[in-house]
Amino acid sequence: MGTPEFPDLGKHCSVDDCKQIDFLPFTCDRCTQVFCLDHRSYMKHNCPKGNRGDVTVVICPLCCKGVRLNPDEDPNITWEKHVNRDCDPSSYEETVKKKKKKCPVTRCRELLTFSNTIRCRDCSVEHCLKHRFGADHGCAGPKKPESRWSSLLASVEESISRLGTDLSQKLQFSSSGGNVEGNGKQNGGKVTVNVCPKCSRGFRDSSDLMKHIDKDHHGTSNA
């Protein structure tokens, strides 16, 4: 097998009637045996595991759901498992309605299948091939995204409203502060303000007022 320079090059086909040496052999992904070019397919070398990749689905007549058959399991056992665990006859009508989806265009009874369904890129609604264009199904067009300026205007209006609220509260506080008597007591009785007779500066604590007079007015409080 092979050549003097590469003695391990090439392998014989696993088919008994062939045994041909192939320098580029094929390895079956099911039975893992080596075959030549002519016997590389499952059918050509009668692969015992060739149907492992096949998918067989049976529709249950009770719930209208698909039951996938396992190649390594008896179909009767698979069917019994579905009936005992997953089968729900009460969902038959709902499943049928989902499967029999029709084109939403008025008076169109075309069933929407895998090969007969087009999703409009403007309205994102599925239609049949006959009504795939926007003019045929009365497409309303894509939804207009919210403008950046509209969101900016909304934030500005909110800021102005908040500023107006704060300003009105400050004006209300200042108007209530105008009712302070000479002794520094507010008519409400909650806030006490001591007013300097020289510069009319207000102090909440009388000791701070005395310090201010001694420091800034050299101890004289006469106007």
Side-chain angles (χ1 to χ4, degrees):
M1 188 187 309
T3 61
E5 292 81 6
F6 302 98
D8 298 331
L9 181 63
K11 292 184 180 180
H12 288 283
C13 180
S14 299
V15 177
D16 296 334
D17 298 337
C18 180
K19 295 298 181 181
Q20 179 183 356
I21 185 172
D22 197 325
F23 294 103
L24 295 173
F26 296 87
T27 302
C28 180
D29 58 350
R30 297 287 190 269
C31 61
T32 66
Q33 294 186 6
V34 179
F35 300 96
C36 64
L37 178 64
D38 297 333
H39 298 100
R40 69 184 186 277
S41 63
Y42 303 142
M43 186 179 298
K44 290 294 184 179
H45 67 263
N46 296 326
C47 183
K49 300 179 180 179
N51 60 347
R52 292 294 178 87
D54 297 342
V55 177
T56 304
V57 178
V58 180
I59 303 300
C60 177
L62 301 177
C63 62
C64 200
K65 293 182 179 180
V67 181
R68 182 172 181 175
L69 301 182
N70 189 355
D72 298 330
E73 190 177 46
D74 187 0
N76 295 324
I77 297 177
T78 306
W79 180 258
E80 289 181 1
K81 289 181 179 178
H82 166 72
V83 173
N84 295 329
R85 298 178 184 177
D86 304 327
C87 188
D88 185 12
S90 61
S91 63
Y92 180 85
E93 295 182 359
E94 182 179 357
T95 306
V96 171
K97 289 181 180 179
K98 287 183 179 180
K99 289 187 176 182
K100 292 183 178 180
K101 191 175 181 180
K102 297 182 180 180
C103 180
V105 177
T106 307
R107 297 182 181 179
C108 182
R109 298 182 179 180
E110 190 73 22
L111 294 177
L112 297 180
T113 60
F114 176 77
S115 60
N116 189 31
T117 302
I118 296 293
R119 182 183 295 274
C120 179
R121 59 184 178 181
D122 291 332
C123 61
S124 301
V125 179
E126 294 181 346
H127 299 85
C128 65
L129 294 177
K130 184 179 179 181
H131 300 101
R132 63 185 182 274
F133 297 112
D136 296 330
H137 63 262
C139 182
K143 294 182 179 179
K144 294 183 179 180
E146 186 178 357
S147 176
R148 182 180 63 179
W149 296 108
S150 61
S151 60
L152 180 62
L153 181 61
S155 62
V156 171
E157 290 178 353
E158 184 180 358
S159 301
I160 294 175
S161 177
R162 190 184 304 112
L163 180 62
T165 303
D166 296 341
L167 184 59
S168 63
Q169 291 178 354
K170 290 181 179 179
L171 291 175
Q172 184 178 3
F173 176 78
S174 62
S175 63
S176 61
N179 296 327
V180 179
E181 296 180 353
N183 58 359
K185 291 186 178 180
Q186 188 181 1
N187 293 335
K190 293 184 179 180
V191 179
T192 302
V193 178
N194 299 283
V195 181
C196 176
K198 277 282 190 179
C199 59
S200 301
R201 185 177 176 182
F203 296 91
R204 289 192 176 184
D205 194 353
S206 58
S207 60
D208 294 337
L209 175 61
M210 297 301 296
K211 291 179 181 179
H212 165 70
I213 294 174
D214 294 338
K215 181 179 179 181
D216 298 337
H217 304 296
H218 305 289
T220 58
S221 60
N222 295 327

